[in-house]
Amino acid sequence: MSNSLIPRRFTQRVMVGTVAVGSDAPIAVQSMTNTDTVDAKGTAQQVFELAKAGSEVVRITVNTPEAAAQVPRIRELLDSMGCAVPLVGDFHYNGHRLLRDYPECAQALAKYRINPGNVGRSRKDEDQFGMMIEVACRYDKPVRIGVNWGSLDSDLIVRMMDDNAKLPKPHTAAEVTREALIISALNSAKRAETLGMNHDRIILSCKVSGVQDLIMVYRDLAQRCDYPLHLGLTEAGMGSKGIVASTAALSVLLQEGIGDTIRISLTPEPGGDRTQEVVVAQEILQTMGLRAFTPMVTACPGCGRTTSTVFQELAQSIQSYLRSEMPVWRKKYIGVEEMNVAVMGCIVNGPGESKMANIGISLPGTGETPAAPVYVDGEKTVTLRGDNIAGDFKKIVDDYISRKYAKR
């Protein structure tokens, strides 16, 4: 699904394994594991779960020799599970040595993430950035040059602050910092090309934790290059705060055609499900009409007319059912991800919303007749009653999908 009202900014196309990023490719959803990469089985299992949830690229931490040694094993385990999702190596201070000393790790990864703010600072006799680019060129791997507000090149920012202080009308510290992020990314990309990397093998990101700062940085960056851009609010936070902040920032940029791949950096609840960040990313893109991943459920918020929790429980049950069945449906049917389902709680808006959905059910509100009419493509087809309304409605959904959508 695409929306012609939101034209995409032109960028180069970069292949990350089998996933295209940029140009006219769909905006890709990314995520990252939080397992210890040394635990190959645990990491592979989490990658598998993220990919099953819909993450099209998954990043893993590669921070020690022990972690680098396990990357090929993780790739093998995923392949044995039938999971071809591309793996991205997240490198920082010692990435140049790990890529050099563990060539099988370098080969197993589909992309390298390089932060120019923390390479090349500890050993002046080593060109750490250059070493990483040389390995990427050798194995024909793309890179994401990912600049981060919290780890900006200290030499660069000090120099720019000093130059700014000499101006007749100095800019604010925030303005200088935003410009430093962009300069760091663009200069690093230019240097990578000087070292032999092709222009169409580079993705850029400039991550910050403030909504308005992110919007301003990416608007400026988008005007100054044609590299694909990875969007994400870094350290977005937990729960509703992280979801709201990420949605607010990314939606503005996506509406302006900026962004080729996204990640929602949520802090999970203790013991929480890591896949939540994938679901949020998908729902941002789908509610904006940019992509379709799973049938969407329209449900009313409830009011004094709906003191019963029946419709709330049914809406939750249907949404969970659609998402859980989607991996199977996607393999069997064409276009099922664009289906819309309505679960409404009373007679005020229920029948109207149900008629506008592919399939809709209007449950009885407080004091209403205990009957639930079902609408299929705008026509009332049956009225459900009894204690198994949820099961009966799911069967109607299954039958509709098998009739409506062509098999692959």
Side-chain angles (χ1 to χ4, degrees):
M1 179 171 64
S2 63
N3 189 337
S4 60
L5 297 179
I6 307 179
R8 291 269 297 283
R9 154 186 172 266
F10 171 78
T11 68
Q12 297 291 323
R13 174 179 290 226
V14 177
M15 295 303 300
V16 180
T18 58
V19 176
V21 175
S23 185
D24 59 350
I27 298 168
V29 172
Q30 295 193 27
S31 59
M32 185 176 182
T33 60
N34 61 356
T35 55
D36 184 347
T37 308
V38 175
D39 177 7
K41 289 185 178 179
T43 300
Q45 182 60 39
Q46 190 175 83
V47 171
F48 178 80
E49 292 168 358
L50 289 166
K52 184 179 178 182
S55 184
E56 292 154 310
V57 177
V58 178
R59 183 159 44 115
I60 61 176
T61 299
V62 187
N63 59 336
T64 65
E66 293 78 11
Q70 290 302 315
V71 171
R73 174 63 176 155
I74 293 168
R75 181 71 269 167
E76 290 173 1
L77 288 170
L78 290 168
D79 291 342
S80 70
M81 299 162 74
C83 179
V85 66
L87 292 178
V88 176
D90 192 62
F91 294 101
H92 290 279
Y93 307 98
N94 59 352
H96 60 300
R97 294 176 186 162
L98 296 178
L99 287 171
R100 177 194 65 194
D101 296 343
Y102 295 87
E104 291 184 351
C105 166
Q107 289 177 298
L109 294 168
K111 185 178 73 174
Y112 311 152
R113 190 268 187 166
I114 305 173
N115 184 342
N118 55 35
V119 297
R121 289 167 54 184
S122 60
R123 290 277 304 275
K124 298 300 183 182
D125 59 326
E126 285 184 336
D127 180 5
Q128 298 180 17
F129 181 85
M131 292 170 68
M132 297 181 77
I133 295 299
E134 189 276 328
V135 174
C137 291
R138 183 189 314 160
Y139 296 114
D140 192 25
K141 304 293 183 178
V143 299
R144 171 161 70 91
I145 296 174
V147 185
N148 194 293
W149 187 280
S151 54
L152 190 55
D153 184 338
S154 59
D155 293 337
L156 174 66
I157 189 63
V158 168
R159 184 172 67 252
M160 291 183 64
M161 286 292 185
D162 288 344
D163 292 342
N164 180 64
K166 299 173 184 177
L167 296 176
K169 293 183 178 180
H171 300 287
T172 66
E175 289 172 332
V176 176
T177 303
R178 289 195 294 267
E179 178 65 12
L181 284 165
I182 296 169
I183 291 296
S184 178
L186 293 177
N187 284 355
S188 297
K190 182 178 180 180
R191 181 151 188 266
E193 291 191 48
T194 301
L195 293 169
M197 174 150 284
N198 289 338
H199 188 76
D200 63 357
R201 301 299 275 163
I202 299 172
I203 297 171
L204 297 186
S205 67
C206 290
K207 290 191 173 183
V208 300
S209 55
V211 171
Q212 296 298 340
D213 288 314
L214 190 83
I215 292 170
M216 286 187 279
V217 166
Y218 273 89
R219 279 175 173 167
D220 199 349
L221 181 60
Q223 292 179 347
R224 294 158 70 172
C225 72
D226 65 354
Y227 299 110
L229 300 182
H230 170 78
L231 297 188
L233 194 70
T234 191
E235 293 100 28
M238 297 181 69
S240 60
K241 184 270 178 182
I243 294 172
V244 171
S246 294
T247 303
L250 269 60
S251 295
V252 170
L253 293 167
L254 292 168
Q255 185 68 24
E256 296 176 5
I258 299 170
D260 303 285
T261 177
I262 68 172
R263 185 207 170 191
I264 308 301
S265 300
L266 295 180
T267 303
E269 301 288 342
D273 191 346
R274 189 69 167 179
T275 62
Q276 184 187 20
E277 67 177 50
V278 179
V279 174
V280 173
Q282 289 181 328
E283 291 183 346
I284 289 173
L285 294 175
Q286 185 150 353
T287 55
M288 292 186 69
L290 293 167
R291 290 193 65 181
F293 297 95
T294 190
M296 297 292 284
V297 173
T298 299
C300 68
C303 65
R305 297 176 183 271
T306 57
T307 53
S308 169
T309 61
V310 174
F311 92 92
Q312 298 168 346
E313 293 166 353
L314 180 59
Q316 183 180 48
S317 175
I318 292 299
Q319 179 74 77
S320 298
Y321 180 71
L322 295 174
R323 186 165 285 280
S324 67
E325 292 298 309
M326 192 58 211
V328 176
W329 290 338
R330 185 180 291 112
K331 292 179 181 179
K332 292 178 62 177
Y333 302 105
I334 299 170
V336 66
E337 63 274 6
E338 297 186 19
M339 182 175 69
N340 184 261
V341 178
V343 180
M344 303 300 294
C346 76
I347 60 173
V348 174
N349 291 319
E353 286 281 0
S354 296
K355 290 177 183 179
M356 288 188 285
N358 295 108
I359 305 177
I361 185 170
S362 180
L363 295 168
T366 304
E368 295 176 8
T369 302
V374 175
Y375 297 83
V376 176
D377 289 333
E379 299 294 331
K380 180 179 175 181
T381 60
V382 67
T383 298
L384 300 180
R385 296 180 174 84
D387 298 328
N388 193 38
I389 288 179
D392 293 339
F393 187 66
K394 289 176 185 178
K395 187 176 186 306
I396 292 172
V397 171
D398 288 336
D399 291 343
Y400 178 84
I401 290 172
S402 65
R403 289 186 292 102
K404 182 74 173 183
Y405 298 98
K407 292 186 176 181
R408 294 189 183 278

